[in-house]
Amino acid sequence: MIEVKNLLCRYGDITAIRDINFVLQKGETMALVGPNGAGKTTLLMALAGHVRCHSGQIDFNGANITGAEAVDRCLNGIGLVPEGRRIFPDLTVLENLEVGGYSRPKTEQPENLQNVFNIFPRLHDRQKQLAGSLSGGEQQMLAFGRAMMSRPRLMLVDELSLGLMPSVVDECYDALKKLQSEGIAIILVDQNSDASMAFCSSTLIMESGHQIWSGASHQAPESSIY
Ligand code: ATP
């Protein structure tokens, strides 16, 4: 589904990530772990098309998307739940979800909304509420729901549990399980690396911008760096 080869991204003169290589198939899950500044967010942003790649290649469903715009990647099935949620606070819950679904035919919208509401019933109850007045956990659910509205085949999730109560974190992991059961592949960054590695069958460990280990999560080396 997605194959990344020798990816390198820079911010000006700073090389943020380099020598990144992995393959992820339909419905597979990969935890991205590493200390602060390791390059996890940059890698997710590069996959979503928000950070430019200077060399290397990203293939998605057999097509080379290395130079594709973020909007086209979204249309092709790459969804992003960004760090800090980035919901639109002055729009209602429903309007936020509609924005997420703009790339899909309008006729699909009721079904896509229902799909989101089945996973997050609380969003259904708060459809008319301004997103900025939601709790942190509800905002995370909305960020998930917004990404789901574009019917992604690959979901990129950055800092899943940041600032959330444990019960809300559990709900978010339950949502991820449901998405995975629908065949959606997931790349997950969570400050609680034990939780992300327990959820994901594979793990890629990053340090100082490059990958130092990748493989089955249960075989990951013990480490104090992540
Ligand atoms: P954290 O866990 O702290 O969020 P991270 O693993 O997600 O860290 P990145 O945010 O991807 O790491 O940062 C990787 C490197 O790129 C860091 O050295 C960071 O300072 C640098 N960096 C990130 N964003 C920018 C930017 N917009 N301009 C310049 N350098 C940046």
Side-chain angles (χ1 to χ4, degrees):
M1 157 168 276
I2 189 161
E3 180 166 13
V4 170
K5 292 176 253 180
N6 297 321
L7 202 67
L8 184 149
C9 301
R10 286 197 198 105
Y11 297 108
D13 292 337
I14 300 167
T15 299
I17 57 172
R18 64 190 152 88
D19 301 326
I20 306 291
N21 292 280
F22 67 85
V23 176
L24 200 67
Q25 304 292 355
K26 185 171 186 258
E28 289 185 346
T29 50
M30 185 174 84
L32 205 52
V33 303
N36 290 340
K40 305 177 297 292
T41 296
T42 301
L43 177 53
L44 292 187
M45 290 298 133
L47 299 177
H50 297 295
V51 165
R52 202 163 71 81
C53 308
H54 288 79
S55 60
Q57 188 165 321
I58 306 169
D59 290 339
F60 185 61
N61 287 326
N64 180 352
I65 60 158
T66 318
E69 297 293 332
V71 63
D72 294 319
R73 297 190 199 199
C74 176
L75 284 170
N76 280 325
I78 298 182
L80 173 68
V81 182
E83 182 174 0
R85 346 284 190 222
R86 309 258 182 100
I87 48 122
F88 303 108
D90 299 327
L91 300 183
T92 64
V93 166
L94 183 60
E95 287 164 344
N96 268 272
L97 293 173
E98 286 169 350
V99 170
Y102 84 99
S103 62
R104 306 296 307 184
K106 253 206 145 35
T107 49
E108 253 183 27
Q109 194 165 289
E111 185 192 336
N112 293 341
L113 275 173
Q114 198 49 55
N115 196 21
V116 171
F117 293 149
N118 287 344
I119 292 184
F120 298 114
R122 230 182 299 174
L123 295 181
H124 180 265
D125 302 341
R126 287 165 173 70
Q127 282 179 68
K128 297 202 170 73
Q129 192 171 324
L130 284 183
S133 67
L134 295 174
S135 71
E138 290 162 351
Q139 290 190 12
Q140 183 66 300
M141 291 172 197
L142 181 56
F144 262 101
R146 185 181 55 186
M148 284 170 58
M149 287 296 289
S150 64
R151 294 179 87 130
R153 286 173 286 172
L154 168 66
M155 191 81 122
L156 309 171
V157 183
D158 201 1
E159 293 296 0
L160 175 80
S161 66
L162 195 67
L164 300 183
M165 285 166 48
S167 61
V168 178
V169 173
D170 290 346
E171 269 185 77
C172 290
Y173 272 104
D174 286 345
L176 282 183
K177 255 184 219 133
K178 286 184 192 152
L179 296 181
Q180 188 199 6
S181 70
E182 290 171 11
I184 297 173
I186 296 163
I187 302 181
L188 174 64
V189 175
D190 191 343
Q191 59 178 5
N192 183 346
S193 53
D194 286 342
S196 64
M197 291 164 76
F199 176 79
C200 296
S201 52
S202 70
T203 291
L204 189 152
I205 305 173
M206 298 181 73
E207 191 183 356
S208 305
H210 64 281
Q211 90 189 51
I212 57 170
W213 188 87
S214 71
S217 296
H218 68 275
Q219 292 174 335
E222 290 284 323
S223 174
S224 55
I225 63 162
Y226 54 84

